[in-house]
Amino acid sequence: MIPIFTGCNRAFMKNLLKFYLLAFILLSDFVAFAQPGDDDGGGGLEGGDPEPAPINSKLILLAITGILFVMYTFRKNKKQA
């Protein structure tokens, strides 16, 4: 019996699997964020958009968390070096 999965074929299969996974992740983005159409069949491309979400509600808390994380990372790396 001839072995089908030799060393070269295994490397090829691993690269092919990585390519398939990358393509799936990149192409699933289109499906995940698709919006449903109107049921009346009018097209509705010029329909009203929802109100924009505010981005400044917890911005200070996010900045403080980021600064604390940077300080923690630098101190952790300083102790290891």
Side-chain angles (χ1 to χ4, degrees):
M1 184 175 244
I2 300 172
I4 297 173
F5 295 108
T6 62
C8 181
N9 286 337
R10 285 185 183 156
F12 176 74
M13 295 297 278
K14 285 182 182 179
N15 287 336
L16 188 63
L17 179 64
K18 288 178 186 178
F19 174 74
Y20 281 149
L21 287 175
L22 178 67
F24 176 75
I25 290 170
L26 291 176
L27 295 177
S28 67
D29 184 48
F30 293 112
V31 178
F33 294 108
Q35 295 178 357
D38 294 334
D39 290 335
D40 60 2
L45 293 177
E46 299 294 326
D49 290 333
E51 293 293 321
I55 59 170
N56 59 356
S57 61
K58 305 265 180 178
L59 200 54
I60 304 253
L61 181 63
L62 181 64
I64 291 171
T65 306
I67 291 170
L68 290 174
F69 178 72
V70 168
M71 290 172 50
Y72 168 75
T73 305
F74 279 138
R75 287 185 183 171
K76 180 180 167 188
N77 288 338
K78 187 186 224 184
K79 288 180 182 178
Q80 289 179 355

